[in-house]
Amino acid sequence: MSQWRPPAKAARGQGTPGSARARPGSLTQSPLAVPPRLRCRPGRRRRRELRAAAAPGPAALPPASADCQAAPGPAPAPQPPARPPRGMAGVVVSGAQVSYISQDCEEIPEFLGRKYGHMAKRLDLSFNLLRSLEGLKTFSYLEELILDNNLLGNDLLLPRLPHLHTLTLNKNQITELESLLDHLAEVVPSLQYLSLLGNIACPNELVCKEKDEDDYQRYRYFVLHKLTNLKFLDTRKVTRREREEALIRGAFMKVVKPKDVKAPSAAASASPEMHYTPLPSGSRDLTNHRGILGKCRYIYYGKHSEGNRFIRDDQL
């Protein structure tokens, strides 16, 4: 009769699949048990792989290549933005509109025509010191030209601008009207909107207190006679009645500039305090008056006199 022995303990890691240890009393080992050396806690294998990848060694270094570049040095210091050419800072461009305002220029800069002459349709040169318009030769496609508050005078010369329909010359130094209108009729045949306010040649009562509405209306008739295509003059639209009056009487509405007063003679300039008197020089002194004898011929025309109604023909 054999002696009884206790069952052997199951080895660590042995048992049925899905269990960590075999049940007590088991005499056989499951063939699907995981070997002890391959078991690890979750995440440990991943940490070993990361340590192996980070460890320096010949296997971790990439092979040398001619395309490899040297390590970049320190970043260069930021460079200040390039300064625009002189005068370019005052240019404002919006589509086909170019503005060069308040730059105190006496002539149109060359770079404006060189850079924007081929595309500009509206050019604003207000509040400058312009005396010449030679720089407009390259602006052949202009439709609107603003030249307010400059120093343009009677010698104003525009290049031929066949597409120009709006021109403003407010507050300049234009005193002669006829020569300017003849020039505009020749070089800008499509002109429809013109403004000359603030010039001596434009007798507007809002600008010149010595002028009245009749003076300004005569000025409008004369301008419309010269420029028959105008639709708007200064601040008012051209009416049909004005156009008819300009056609009939416009040629006779020319504003004549008064001739300059001659310079005073040397005798008058020597004694500016002495006023003119028709009396001879011998009787000008009131303290030593000796009387004057002479002949006087008086002709009565009866102009602006109410006494003519009481004078008979035989008394004349």
Side-chain angles (χ1 to χ4, degrees):
M1 187 173 177
S2 62
Q3 187 179 1
W4 179 85
R5 292 182 180 181
K9 294 182 179 180
R12 187 178 181 180
Q14 296 178 358
T16 59
S19 62
R21 299 176 62 179
R23 289 180 297 178
S26 177
L27 298 178
T28 59
Q29 183 179 358
S30 175
L32 299 179
V34 181
R37 57 190 181 87
L38 296 180
R39 291 185 71 253
C40 60
R41 291 178 303 181
R44 184 176 297 179
R45 182 180 300 175
R46 180 60 180 166
R47 286 197 294 270
R48 280 202 297 264
E49 293 175 355
L50 294 176
R51 284 197 298 268
L61 296 176
S65 174
D67 297 336
C68 295
Q69 299 181 357
Q79 299 293 334
R83 298 182 61 182
R86 185 178 180 182
M88 287 287 291
V91 181
V92 178
V93 181
S94 176
Q97 302 181 11
V98 180
S99 300
Y100 194 67
I101 303 174
S102 300
Q103 299 300 315
D104 297 335
C105 58
E106 298 183 0
E107 58 183 11
I108 301 175
E110 295 183 1
F111 72 86
L112 279 181
R114 184 172 59 253
K115 190 171 183 179
Y116 306 107
H118 65 285
M119 49 81 66
K121 293 186 178 181
R122 185 181 189 274
L123 180 61
D124 191 348
L125 299 173
S126 303
F127 295 94
N128 284 289
L129 304 175
L130 294 179
R131 298 178 181 271
S132 173
L133 299 176
E134 294 182 0
L136 289 178
K137 295 180 180 179
T138 55
F139 292 87
S140 56
Y141 299 100
L142 272 185
E143 297 179 1
E144 300 181 32
L145 180 58
I146 315 299
L147 298 171
D148 299 341
N149 293 275
N150 280 283
L151 301 178
L152 299 172
N154 297 328
D155 55 348
L156 181 150
L157 292 177
L158 283 169
R160 183 169 181 81
L161 301 172
H163 306 287
L164 189 71
H165 58 72
T166 300
L167 175 63
T168 63
L169 293 165
N170 300 320
K171 292 188 178 181
N172 279 275
Q173 298 180 354
I174 301 174
T175 59
E176 180 63 31
L177 191 61
E178 186 175 13
S179 59
L180 173 65
L181 298 179
D182 291 338
H183 177 63
L184 294 180
E186 179 180 358
V187 298
V188 284
S190 302
L191 189 63
Q192 298 180 0
Y193 302 86
L194 176 65
S195 184
L196 297 172
L197 294 174
N199 293 280
I200 299 179
C202 175
N204 193 322
E205 59 182 344
L206 300 177
V207 180
C208 183
K209 297 181 179 180
E210 299 178 357
K211 305 299 180 178
D212 55 12
E213 181 62 24
D214 293 337
D215 296 329
Y216 181 68
Q217 192 60 55
R218 286 191 292 269
Y219 149 83
R220 289 179 65 88
Y221 289 152
F222 185 70
V223 174
L224 295 177
H225 170 72
K226 291 289 186 177
L227 303 176
T228 58
N229 294 329
L230 281 185
K231 296 182 179 179
F232 206 95
L233 178 58
D234 296 335
T235 59
R236 298 205 312 240
K237 184 179 179 180
V238 177
T239 62
R240 180 179 179 181
R241 179 179 177 276
E242 285 182 327
R243 200 176 299 278
E244 294 175 354
E245 290 291 331
L247 183 62
I248 299 174
R249 302 187 299 166
F252 308 102
M253 297 297 173
K254 177 181 177 180
V255 179
V256 180
K257 182 181 178 182
K259 297 181 179 179
D260 297 334
V261 180
K262 295 182 179 180
S265 59
S269 59
S271 56
E273 297 181 357
M274 182 178 296
H275 301 284
Y276 170 76
T277 174
L279 299 176
S281 57
S283 61
R284 291 176 182 176
D285 188 4
L286 299 180
T287 60
N288 187 18
H289 188 272
R290 295 177 295 179
I292 296 297
L293 179 62
K295 295 182 179 181
C296 178
R297 182 183 179 185
Y298 177 72
I299 301 177
Y300 175 73
Y301 293 98
K303 187 177 181 181
H304 303 298
S305 175
E306 294 291 336
N308 292 340
R309 295 181 300 175
F310 308 102
I311 298 177
R312 297 191 301 271
D313 294 340
D314 56 353
Q315 294 178 345
L316 297 177

PDB file of all heavy atoms in Angstrom, residues 50 75 83 96 103 198 228 231 234 299 315:
ATOM      1  N   LEU A  50      11.240  53.514 -25.588  1.00  0.00           N
ATOM      2  CA  LEU A  50      11.598  54.924 -25.621  1.00  0.00           C
ATOM      3  C   LEU A  50      13.008  55.155 -25.112  1.00  0.00           C
ATOM      4  O   LEU A  50      13.754  55.972 -25.656  1.00  0.00           O
ATOM      5  CB  LEU A  50      10.586  55.743 -24.798  1.00  0.00           C
ATOM      6  CG  LEU A  50       9.163  55.790 -25.353  1.00  0.00           C
ATOM      7  CD1 LEU A  50       8.247  56.551 -24.402  1.00  0.00           C
ATOM      8  CD2 LEU A  50       9.137  56.429 -26.736  1.00  0.00           C
ATOM      9  N   ALA A  75      19.856  84.057 -34.960  1.00  0.00           N
ATOM     10  CA  ALA A  75      18.976  84.744 -35.916  1.00  0.00           C
ATOM     11  C   ALA A  75      19.483  86.149 -36.178  1.00  0.00           C
ATOM     12  O   ALA A  75      19.895  86.855 -35.246  1.00  0.00           O
ATOM     13  CB  ALA A  75      17.552  84.801 -35.367  1.00  0.00           C
ATOM     14  N   ARG A  83      13.042 102.790 -46.814  1.00  0.00           N
ATOM     15  CA  ARG A  83      12.365 104.069 -46.924  1.00  0.00           C
ATOM     16  C   ARG A  83      11.965 104.322 -48.365  1.00  0.00           C
ATOM     17  O   ARG A  83      12.748 104.085 -49.291  1.00  0.00           O
ATOM     18  CB  ARG A  83      13.271 105.198 -46.433  1.00  0.00           C
ATOM     19  CG  ARG A  83      13.660 105.068 -44.974  1.00  0.00           C
ATOM     20  CD  ARG A  83      14.499 106.227 -44.531  1.00  0.00           C
ATOM     21  NE  ARG A  83      13.776 107.479 -44.666  1.00  0.00           N
ATOM     22  CZ  ARG A  83      14.303 108.674 -44.384  1.00  0.00           C
ATOM     23  NH1 ARG A  83      15.552 108.770 -43.963  1.00  0.00           N
ATOM     24  NH2 ARG A  83      13.577 109.760 -44.542  1.00  0.00           N
ATOM     25  N   ALA A  96      -8.010 103.587 -59.691  1.00  0.00           N
ATOM     26  CA  ALA A  96      -7.516 104.496 -60.729  1.00  0.00           C
ATOM     27  C   ALA A  96      -7.457 105.934 -60.246  1.00  0.00           C
ATOM     28  O   ALA A  96      -7.288 106.843 -61.059  1.00  0.00           O
ATOM     29  CB  ALA A  96      -8.402 104.400 -61.967  1.00  0.00           C
ATOM     30  N   GLN A 103       1.791 118.837 -50.578  1.00  0.00           N
ATOM     31  CA  GLN A 103       3.208 118.480 -50.607  1.00  0.00           C
ATOM     32  C   GLN A 103       4.098 119.674 -50.942  1.00  0.00           C
ATOM     33  O   GLN A 103       5.322 119.514 -51.053  1.00  0.00           O
ATOM     34  CB  GLN A 103       3.444 117.363 -51.637  1.00  0.00           C
ATOM     35  CG  GLN A 103       2.680 116.091 -51.336  1.00  0.00           C
ATOM     36  CD  GLN A 103       3.046 115.488 -50.012  1.00  0.00           C
ATOM     37  OE1 GLN A 103       4.225 115.383 -49.662  1.00  0.00           O
ATOM     38  NE2 GLN A 103       2.043 115.087 -49.236  1.00  0.00           N
ATOM     39  N   GLY A 198     -13.174 131.486 -56.551  1.00  0.00           N
ATOM     40  CA  GLY A 198     -12.010 131.954 -55.822  1.00  0.00           C
ATOM     41  C   GLY A 198     -10.962 132.633 -56.675  1.00  0.00           C
ATOM     42  O   GLY A 198      -9.926 133.057 -56.158  1.00  0.00           O
ATOM     43  N   THR A 228     -19.434 125.218 -75.020  1.00  0.00           N
ATOM     44  CA  THR A 228     -20.843 124.867 -75.260  1.00  0.00           C
ATOM     45  C   THR A 228     -21.248 123.517 -74.678  1.00  0.00           C
ATOM     46  O   THR A 228     -22.445 123.239 -74.564  1.00  0.00           O
ATOM     47  CB  THR A 228     -21.111 124.877 -76.775  1.00  0.00           C
ATOM     48  OG1 THR A 228     -20.217 123.948 -77.406  1.00  0.00           O
ATOM     49  CG2 THR A 228     -20.875 126.261 -77.349  1.00  0.00           C
ATOM     50  N   LYS A 231     -22.063 121.164 -68.632  1.00  0.00           N
ATOM     51  CA  LYS A 231     -23.307 120.801 -67.957  1.00  0.00           C
ATOM     52  C   LYS A 231     -23.377 121.357 -66.536  1.00  0.00           C
ATOM     53  O   LYS A 231     -24.464 121.457 -65.970  1.00  0.00           O
ATOM     54  CB  LYS A 231     -23.462 119.282 -67.918  1.00  0.00           C
ATOM     55  CG  LYS A 231     -23.597 118.638 -69.284  1.00  0.00           C
ATOM     56  CD  LYS A 231     -23.784 117.129 -69.146  1.00  0.00           C
ATOM     57  CE  LYS A 231     -23.944 116.474 -70.515  1.00  0.00           C
ATOM     58  NZ  LYS A 231     -24.113 114.997 -70.388  1.00  0.00           N
ATOM     59  N   ASP A 234     -19.220 125.907 -61.854  1.00  0.00           N
ATOM     60  CA  ASP A 234     -19.032 126.321 -60.454  1.00  0.00           C
ATOM     61  C   ASP A 234     -19.954 125.511 -59.543  1.00  0.00           C
ATOM     62  O   ASP A 234     -19.781 124.308 -59.417  1.00  0.00           O
ATOM     63  CB  ASP A 234     -19.254 127.827 -60.314  1.00  0.00           C
ATOM     64  CG  ASP A 234     -18.212 128.622 -61.101  1.00  0.00           C
ATOM     65  OD1 ASP A 234     -17.118 128.082 -61.331  1.00  0.00           O
ATOM     66  OD2 ASP A 234     -18.502 129.758 -61.495  1.00  0.00           O
ATOM     67  N   ILE A 299     -21.706 174.205 -70.657  1.00  0.00           N
ATOM     68  CA  ILE A 299     -22.694 173.562 -71.517  1.00  0.00           C
ATOM     69  C   ILE A 299     -23.619 172.748 -70.628  1.00  0.00           C
ATOM     70  O   ILE A 299     -23.178 171.878 -69.871  1.00  0.00           O
ATOM     71  CB  ILE A 299     -22.032 172.653 -72.563  1.00  0.00           C
ATOM     72  CG1 ILE A 299     -21.067 173.452 -73.437  1.00  0.00           C
ATOM     73  CG2 ILE A 299     -23.079 171.962 -73.423  1.00  0.00           C
ATOM     74  CD1 ILE A 299     -20.315 172.630 -74.434  1.00  0.00           C
ATOM     75  N   GLN A 315     -36.686 179.370 -74.283  1.00  0.00           N
ATOM     76  CA  GLN A 315     -35.729 179.821 -73.284  1.00  0.00           C
ATOM     77  C   GLN A 315     -34.394 179.098 -73.401  1.00  0.00           C
ATOM     78  O   GLN A 315     -33.454 179.444 -72.671  1.00  0.00           O
ATOM     79  CB  GLN A 315     -36.314 179.584 -71.865  1.00  0.00           C
ATOM     80  CG  GLN A 315     -37.542 180.457 -71.607  1.00  0.00           C
ATOM     81  CD  GLN A 315     -38.141 180.173 -70.231  1.00  0.00           C
ATOM     82  OE1 GLN A 315     -37.804 179.168 -69.623  1.00  0.00           O
ATOM     83  NE2 GLN A 315     -39.028 181.046 -69.799  1.00  0.00           N
TER      84      GLN A 315
END
